[in-house]
Amino acid sequence: MPTIDRIERFADELTAIRRDLHAHPEIGFEEIRTSGIVAEKLAQWGVKVHRGVGGTGVVGVLKGKGNGGRRVGLRADMDALPMEENTNLKWRSTVPGRFHGCGHDGHTTILLGAARYLAETRDFDGTVHFIFQPAEEGLGGACAMIKDGLFEKFPCDEIYGLHNAPDLDHGELAVLPGPAMAGADFFDITINGYGAHGAMPERSKDPVVIAMTLAQALQTIVSRNVSPNEAAVLSITQIHAGSAYNVIPGEAKLAGTVRAFSDEVRALIRERMRNLCAGLAAAFEVEIKADIRDIFSVLVNSAEHCKFVADVARTVVDPAKVVTRSKPKMGSEDFADMLHAVPGAYFWLGHDGSVPVHNPGYILDDKILPIGASVFARIVETRLPAGR
């Protein structure tokens, strides 16, 4: 089955919107221009607009035909990443240190495409809430919207979100019931030692040596404390210490992330991290501070809504390309917080290109814009059928 003809007819306009957003990326809670464009487009199409939800978030409300009381939420994230782009695209980022390296510009445009189509046709009975979320990249945008009364002001009986996937074939759609993406913690560990001349290490309490010892010890948590039947990752991604060749510094810092599909496993890892820090602090007679922060919840898809997404997707893309992932993703997504509040499903839409997201050379394939918009639109029309 094809994408929706009416959406295909304005696909070029969607591409233009997406490329404009790409050229002007904004990171979490700074999406002033982006949210302004979203609000302007929604209002232009006759969608009631609410701005400033959870900071820079936008919610569009659209009622269909009849007096149906069911409400469906569709969500897209708007923020870019604090990184440089390394492509030769004509529409490459014009903002230094800012890049839509995860494709959120595509997600925003897909939801705008669905909103335009549904506003023009209104071939559904009920209410759609178009949720444009800020700050997905680890800054808690979903939580901010929820705390700001998202689901009290805009109640949803179910909610859906998507992500582009360069690791899937073009037009392939994947959805997985149950735990589909890992929960995540970020951590910062500071070792306060005692500095000295590099030629006189006996006069120091060397935080660099302690940092190396701690880094190796932390790697034993997953291999020796977490059950082999549970998936978990502990990655140290930053090490900072020192400023000269002949100076042992007084301080060293480690930072990184923990991922797991179980909140119990995450709690175990946090406890072991703190115990190792306390033990090494005592052994080396230094102070070690461990700041471990719960950033992303485990994303759990409803089996019912996953089956529904798969059934709808088969009316838009080749049914053979609708797959259920056999393995969940170790990556994280703060749409998980919305799924904790409202049942629903999160799915992935494949596109051409092999460069992964969060890579400076990542390129989104604009051909998925009408596909994603069509899937979102069909979700609404199928879940809220007109004339029932």
Side-chain angles (χ1 to χ4, degrees), residues 79-366:
D79 57 323
L81 287 159
M83 62 183 289
E84 295 290 341
E85 178 174 0
N86 183 20
T87 73
N88 294 316
L89 298 172
K90 293 180 180 179
W91 53 90
R92 73 186 307 277
S93 173
T94 60
V95 184
R98 302 287 186 267
F99 171 38
H100 267 297
C102 200
H104 295 184
D105 51 342
H107 305 164
T108 296
T109 305
I110 284 171
L111 187 51
L112 283 173
R116 174 175 172 177
Y117 167 81
L118 291 167
E120 290 176 351
T121 59
R122 303 207 186 215
D123 190 22
F124 64 95
D125 185 6
T127 302
V128 186
H129 293 137
F130 304 103
I131 301 167
F132 293 86
Q133 182 206 305
E136 189 279 329
E137 296 288 355
L139 295 177
C143 188
M145 293 190 84
I146 293 169
K147 287 183 177 178
D148 201 15
L150 173 65
F151 294 122
E152 288 76 31
K153 298 172 184 175
F154 312 100
C156 297
D157 297 298
E158 54 202 84
I159 191 166
Y160 301 89
L162 62 73
H163 203 291
N164 72 91
D167 59 321
L168 298 176
D169 293 335
H170 174 77
E172 189 173 24
L173 186 145
V175 62
L176 172 67
M181 299 188 76
D185 297 275
F186 290 169
F187 63 83
D188 290 279
I189 298 173
T190 302
I191 302 165
N192 293 310
Y194 188 79
H197 196 291
M200 304 172 188
E202 75 282 2
R203 298 185 180 182
S204 74
K205 292 181 180 179
D206 190 343
V208 176
V209 171
I210 300 167
M212 292 188 292
T213 304
L214 178 57
Q216 289 190 318
L218 291 173
Q219 294 306 310
T220 68
I221 295 175
V222 172
S223 66
R224 289 297 177 269
N225 299 124
V226 176
S227 168
N229 296 320
E230 299 277 3
V233 169
L234 190 159
S235 293
I236 296 168
T237 57
Q238 299 179 52
I239 300 177
H240 304 283
S243 59
Y245 288 103
N246 59 349
V247 176
I248 294 174
E251 181 182 89
K253 294 184 177 182
L254 304 175
T257 185
V258 173
R259 310 283 170 131
F261 294 102
S262 159
D263 288 335
E264 290 75 20
V265 170
R266 293 169 67 201
L268 167 67
I269 293 173
R270 290 186 205 114
E271 181 182 9
R272 289 296 299 138
M273 290 178 69
R274 293 189 176 102
N275 288 343
L276 285 171
C277 288
L280 286 176
F284 286 99
E285 299 180 323
V286 296
E287 180 184 51
I288 301 179
K289 297 179 180 178
D291 177 20
I292 308 171
R293 304 178 300 283
D294 182 352
I295 302 297
F296 296 103
S297 300
V298 179
L299 187 146
V300 181
N301 276 332
S302 155
E304 173 195 346
H305 297 95
C306 281
K307 182 181 183 302
F308 169 70
V309 167
D311 290 342
V312 167
R314 292 186 184 100
T315 71
V316 177
V317 302
D318 181 350
K321 290 188 173 184
V322 178
V323 299
T324 298
R325 285 183 178 272
S326 59
K327 295 181 180 179
K329 283 179 171 284
M330 190 57 79
S332 300
E333 162 63 60
D334 78 353
F335 186 62
D337 292 323
M338 294 190 183
L339 288 177
H340 277 290
V342 177
Y346 188 77
F347 57 95
W348 292 268
L349 186 59
H351 61 83
D352 288 337
S354 59
V355 179
V357 296
H358 290 226
N359 181 291
Y362 164 78
I363 298 175
L364 181 90
D365 176 11
D366 288 315

Side-chain angles (χ1 to χ4, degrees), residues 1-9 11 117 170-171 315-318 349 367-375 378:
M1 296 290 288
T3 52
I4 296 173
D5 287 341
R6 191 179 189 119
I7 293 177
E8 285 286 359
R9 287 198 290 272
Y117 167 81
H170 174 77
T315 71
V316 177
V317 302
D318 181 350
L349 186 59
K367 293 192 298 295
I368 71 164
L369 300 177
I371 299 175
S374 294
V375 173
R378 288 294 187 231

